[in-house]
């Protein structure tokens, strides 16, 4: 037993972070204790506040400590465009690309019958309600291009069809900066099927 | 701005951890908020307690929240052997190897005139005092085999020489499981100079 109880407890607690194993947790604990106690105290406080106060936006289900998230509350977003994504990290990625000026709906997951995740768990009723009440004209489905993400996209399309909205899916194909040689076969198939006239 | 203020604060605070950049910090924050709030709360508490209460062992300068660390307080350690290391992580590594049954002295650094670290900063006076008062018969120097670690080892040897103790240095050579082909030249030189009769 080479750690004192409090250090042991800190190392164990750090391992709840994704990608942090025994060795990194030890390194983090010693780094904070030896060289950055102030950073450790600020982190403790930030964690405590975020875990206690961050909830979900009443309109889009994104993470926020306010009743409405910054994007839903903003008047400069186009109310006719709604983009459906799986997670808050997807919102961050799209916002960083600067390519979308509408609002979002965050499923917080995807349909996954094996894990017991059905339409209610990913907020489909709330999405349908929002589409009926609001002035959305185009629903852009940006779930992940995985088996579950595609299944979720199809399910949403089926549910939304009677409403007569424009429903679109973001394009799949060869990523920019990639080399054809290293792109997988399914992506190439998508890229060929989705080809455009120049 | 895609994060709410509390999430932004949490992501910034997580970046004080070594090896955690913007992307991992975001991933950690979302993982805790979406899937492991309890883990986040426990981490906040563990951090807060450790930062507030962990200090240094009065005898060996290792990190502990008690006046004496577990190793200094234990009666089953050999009081005639003292091993000098640079950091608490070194103590952990040696303890895990199970190869040493004496006690430690943790310098918490190495001599580094460029960074303004002199003998007083790494506890040399405290080490000399301990050697004079106690029944230590062999001082094993296990500072790192780096330029600063070697300089620190030499300095300690000079200071301790008048006391007539056995002073030893851990062996340097080819690590077990390594392949000669990939071992650097200085290590091979050490391995040849330190060769033993079979």
């Amino acid at each position: 037993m080479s750690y004192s109880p409090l250090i042991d407890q800190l190392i164990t607690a750090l391992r709840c972070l994704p990608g942090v194993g025994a060795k990194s947790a030890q390194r983090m604990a010693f780094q904070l204790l030896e060289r950055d106690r102030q950073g450790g105290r600020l982190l403790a406080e930030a964690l405590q506040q975020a875990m206690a106060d961050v909830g979900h936006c009443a309109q889009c289900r994104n993470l926020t400590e306010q009743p409405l998230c910054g994007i839903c509350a903003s008047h400069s977003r186009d109310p006719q465009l709604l983009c459906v994504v799986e997670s808050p990290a997807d919102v961050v990625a799209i916002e960083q690309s600067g390519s979308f000026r509408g609002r979002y709906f965050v499923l917080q997951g995807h349909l996954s019958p094996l894990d017991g995740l059905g339409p209610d768990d990913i907020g489909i009723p709330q999405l349908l309600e929002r589409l009926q009440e609001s002035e959305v004209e185009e629903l852009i489905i940006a779930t992940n291009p995985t088996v579950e993400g595609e299944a979720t996209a199809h399910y949403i399309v089926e549910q939304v069809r009677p409403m007569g909205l424009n429903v679109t899916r973001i394009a799949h194909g060869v990523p920019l900066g990639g080399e054809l040689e290293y792109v997988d076969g399914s992506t190439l198939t998508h890229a060929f099927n989705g080809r455009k006239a120049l």
Side-chain angles (χ1 to χ4, degrees), chain A:
Chain A
M1 176 60 197
S2 358
Y3 306 120
S4 70
L6 282 188
I7 300 179
D8 197 45
Q9 172 185 313
L10 174 58
I11 292 175
T12 309
L14 281 164
R15 295 191 58 183
C16 78
L17 296 172
V20 175
K23 202 78 190 179
S24 333
Q26 180 196 306
R27 186 166 152 244
M28 288 172 170
F30 282 150
Q31 155 85 12
L32 293 178
L33 288 167
E34 290 172 50
R35 279 183 284 272
D36 194 10
R37 299 239 172 179
Q38 184 54 19
R41 274 187 290 266
L42 289 176
L43 177 55
E45 217 170 288
L47 274 167
Q48 191 272 318
Q49 284 182 14
M51 296 304 128
D53 295 343
V54 172
H56 295 106
C57 171
Q59 189 167 302
C60 78
R61 288 168 56 101
N62 200 353
L63 292 167
T64 178
E65 67 270 20
Q66 282 127 7
L68 278 188
C69 74
I71 294 172
C72 285
S74 160
H75 294 294
S76 65
R77 312 291 299 211
D78 185 341
Q80 303 188 325
L81 294 176
L82 187 70
C83 177
V84 177
V85 295
E86 291 188 24
S87 76
D90 299 334
V91 174
V92 174
I94 298 174
E95 286 296 296
Q96 276 169 356
S97 79
S99 50
F100 182 65
R101 295 299 301 161
R103 295 211 173 89
Y104 296 91
F105 187 86
V106 184
L107 299 171
Q108 302 282 6
H110 45 234
L111 289 179
S112 179
L114 286 178
D115 301 321
L117 288 177
D120 291 356
D121 301 300
I122 61 169
I124 300 293
Q126 200 176 335
L127 171 63
L128 298 178
E129 200 179 309
R130 168 132 177 231
L131 289 174
Q132 265 149 355
E133 286 170 1
S134 67
E135 42 188 324
V136 173
E137 303 210 331
E138 181 177 352
L139 181 69
I140 302 167
I141 303 185
T143 53
N144 290 329
T146 56
V147 174
E148 295 90 350
E150 292 292 348
T152 307
H154 279 112
Y155 182 84
I156 293 173
V157 171
E158 290 305 312
Q159 299 297 307
V160 166
R161 204 188 293 283
M163 297 186 187
L165 295 167
N166 276 331
V167 184
T168 56
R169 179 98 172 97
I170 53 168
H172 297 141
V174 177
L176 299 195
E179 300 193 40
L180 275 197
E181 189 179 347
Y182 299 111
V183 171
D184 65 293
S186 328
T187 302
L188 279 177
T189 307
H190 266 289
F192 272 85
N193 291 343
R195 67 189 180 278
K196 288 182 187 165
L198 290 177

